[in-house]
Amino acid sequence: AAALAAVMVAADVEQEGEEAEAEAEEDASGSAMLGATLRLLTACAREPRGATIICEAGALPLLVKLLCTSDAGGDTHGNAAMCIGECAKDGRCLAVLAVQPLVPPLLDMAHSRTGQQQKNAAIALGRLAKNERCLQAIRDNHGIEILARSMKKMQM
């Protein structure tokens, strides 16, 4: 009976290991798909009509949600920030973004990240600052100081 129980436990552990591997592969593939999607959205947002379509499709709140998701990878945050920055060039998109809780996560990225993620967050914040509500949120969260330090670190 003990041997049978040991075999059953071993089989169960092996099955859990295989399930964990499959889940990890699925997560990696989902992450790659998300990254590719964000890069495509950003490329579309560079065109004025593309930013309008992204806004009309309701994608801006989803991009903000990605910024606030801690389990999303750094590249995901950086790409979401870049897409938000591109969309913020459009007045209508900027108005939609102004009511979203995106200033604190962008300031966190500008403060604690490095390289392209930091740069994308700083650019997005700069473009969001054209809206009075966003500018006030940046000021209220000591964003001017954070951006000044970030720009100094990036040697801009």
Side-chain angles (χ1 to χ4, degrees):
L4 181 57
V7 169
M8 290 176 68
V9 168
D12 191 40
V13 167
E14 185 177 325
Q15 183 179 2
E16 286 176 6
E18 290 171 1
E19 288 173 3
E21 268 183 43
E23 192 174 301
E25 286 177 16
E26 188 175 306
D27 285 349
S29 124
S31 179
M33 180 65 80
L34 179 59
T37 303
L38 281 171
R39 287 188 297 276
L40 284 170
L41 271 178
T42 302
C44 291
R46 287 188 176 118
E47 300 297 322
R49 179 74 180 124
T52 301
I53 291 170
I54 290 168
C55 184
E56 289 172 354
L60 295 176
L62 297 173
L63 288 169
V64 173
K65 198 174 194 178
L66 280 174
L67 281 180
C68 299
T69 305
S70 61
D71 61 344
D75 287 345
T76 299
H77 289 136
N79 289 335
M82 184 188 316
C83 192
I84 287 168
E86 289 296 329
C87 288
K89 291 188 225 177
D90 178 80
R92 185 166 173 219
C93 291
L94 185 58
V96 170
L97 289 167
V99 298
Q100 300 294 319
L102 73 153
V103 170
L106 285 172
L107 284 172
D108 181 54
M109 284 177 65
H111 178 68
S112 61
R113 304 286 172 89
T114 59
Q116 199 61 44
Q117 293 172 31
Q118 183 182 47
K119 186 176 180 180
N120 292 346
I123 289 168
L125 286 162
R127 291 180 179 157
L128 290 168
K130 292 186 284 184
N131 177 280
E132 189 58 41
R133 182 178 177 151
C134 290
L135 180 59
Q136 191 57 50
I138 292 168
R139 287 181 183 140
D140 292 346
N141 288 282
H142 307 286
I144 305 299
E145 296 86 358
I146 291 170
L147 286 171
R149 275 182 290 201
S150 296
M151 289 172 62
K152 193 174 184 178
K153 278 196 273 185
M154 290 185 283
Q155 299 174 343
M156 291 183 90

